[in-house]
Amino acid sequence: AAESFNHKKFFEMVGLKKKSPEDVKKVFHILDKDRSGFIEEEELKFVLKGFTPEGRDLSDKETKALLAAGDKDGDGKIGADEFATLVAES
């Protein structure tokens, strides 16, 4: 349902929290569609589709909340280390 996305519950539900650091990095690279080394806001919108083709797009509000939770250095994108921290904190 729209506006129901919770990254902590989601990472737990897909088992990401229990994955090894190497596996978390692999997931990061899958989500980093443009291979920039960062997950930008535009890529975050499609995070659910990275796990299931039937996944919906996140709303702008959900995308911004996820970006805010993961972007520790305030550069407007999530790097691999920030992604690993985001998963670990969930």
Side-chain angles (χ1 to χ4, degrees), residues 3-71:
E3 306 304 334
S4 67
F5 181 74
N6 176 312
H7 70 275
K8 293 180 180 185
K9 284 183 189 161
F10 176 71
F11 290 150
E12 199 173 306
M13 198 171 78
V14 297
L16 200 52
K17 197 167 166 55
K18 295 184 180 106
K19 298 273 187 213
S20 70
E22 294 77 30
D23 285 345
V24 170
K25 252 188 183 114
K26 285 179 192 166
V27 171
F28 173 83
H29 291 297
I30 291 167
L31 298 175
D32 178 21
K33 298 279 186 221
D34 66 1
R35 307 251 183 264
S36 66
F38 296 95
I39 303 172
E40 290 90 2
E41 188 171 338
E42 197 53 40
E43 292 166 323
L44 280 178
K45 201 173 276 197
F46 308 113
V47 72
L48 298 179
K49 287 191 171 132
F51 290 90
T52 174
E54 298 82 46
R56 68 176 176 84
D57 293 349
L58 295 183
S59 70
D60 288 345
K61 184 177 173 187
E62 290 170 320
T63 302
K64 288 184 187 322
L66 180 55
L67 181 62
D71 181 19

